[in-house]
């Protein structure tokens, strides 16, 4: 349960960051929410959950391998193992989206902005929100 709830909380963080940014953009710059925004939001949610699952799966793999370590040390070690993979995946997507933002058309500009914000937020939250929340939950349980 604790893995799933931590992943959902990180997912909600990512969705709320994108929704919050676009509510501000809508208020100040009259950006409208359309079907592409919903598509971008669903893509961000999928990306966020996938990234968090990769980290949590590594934690579950390392728990039996490191029985004498504290839970926080296992999570820290697992984050170290998956950090390069997470950053490389996100950097590749961000570079592609930046190229699309620079050279793409006006009709997909806000779609790409939503994806960029969501991917950056998702990478941040799977490392700095989901894993510490999991450690906090486990620490409070004991």
């Amino acid at each position: 349960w604790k893995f799933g709830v931590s992943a959902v909380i990180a997912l909600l963080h990512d969705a709320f960051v994108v929704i919050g940014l676009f509510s501000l953009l809508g208020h100040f710059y009259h950006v409208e929410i359309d079907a592409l925004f919903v598509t971008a939001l669903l893509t961000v949610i999928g990306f966020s959950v996938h990234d968090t699952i990769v980290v949590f799966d590594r934690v579950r793999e390392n728990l039996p391998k490191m029985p004498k370590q504290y839970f926080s040390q296992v999570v820290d070690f697992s984050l170290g193992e998956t950090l390069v993979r997470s950053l490389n995946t996100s950097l590749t997507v961000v570079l592609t989206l930046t190229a699309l933002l620079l050279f793409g058309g006006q009709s997909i500009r806000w779609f790409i902005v939503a994806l960029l914000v969501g991917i950056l937020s998702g990478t941040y939250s799977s490392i700095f929100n989901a894993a510490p929340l999991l450690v906090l939950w486990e620490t409070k349980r004991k």
Side-chain angles (χ1 to χ4, degrees):
W1 284 97
K2 59 188 171 195
F3 285 88
V5 171
S6 299
V8 168
I9 291 172
L11 170 136
L12 290 173
H13 168 268
D14 301 336
F16 286 145
V17 165
V18 175
I19 291 169
L21 176 74
F22 269 78
S23 66
L24 291 173
L25 288 173
H27 180 72
F28 292 113
Y29 298 105
H30 306 292
V31 175
E32 295 182 9
I33 304 298
D34 57 358
L36 283 178
F37 174 78
V38 174
T39 305
L41 193 60
L42 291 173
T43 304
V44 165
I45 288 170
F47 196 87
S48 171
V49 167
H50 180 267
D51 205 24
T52 305
I53 286 172
V54 167
V55 173
F56 284 176
D57 190 44
R58 187 55 59 104
V59 171
R60 279 192 289 267
E61 286 176 6
N62 287 334
L63 279 172
K65 293 178 185 176
M66 306 168 74
K68 296 186 182 202
Q69 300 291 326
Y70 291 113
F71 186 75
S72 60
Q73 292 172 324
V74 174
V75 171
D76 183 49
F77 182 76
S78 301
L79 277 173
E81 286 183 325
T82 60
L83 185 64
V84 173
R85 178 244 172 238
S86 295
L87 292 177
N88 284 341
T89 303
S90 297
L91 183 64
T92 304
V93 174
V94 166
L95 289 175
T96 305
L97 290 173
T98 303
L100 280 171
L101 185 62
L102 294 174
F103 303 117
Q106 181 69 25
S107 61
I108 61 169
R109 173 163 285 136
W110 296 114
F111 170 71
I112 294 168
V113 169
L115 283 176
L116 270 171
V117 169
I119 297 301
L120 292 173
S121 172
T123 303
Y124 170 82
S125 74
S126 65
I127 296 169
F128 296 109
N129 287 348
L133 187 62
L134 182 65
V135 170
L136 180 67
W137 190 337
E138 182 68 21
T139 305
K140 293 291 182 186
R141 190 178 67 92
K142 291 182 180 181

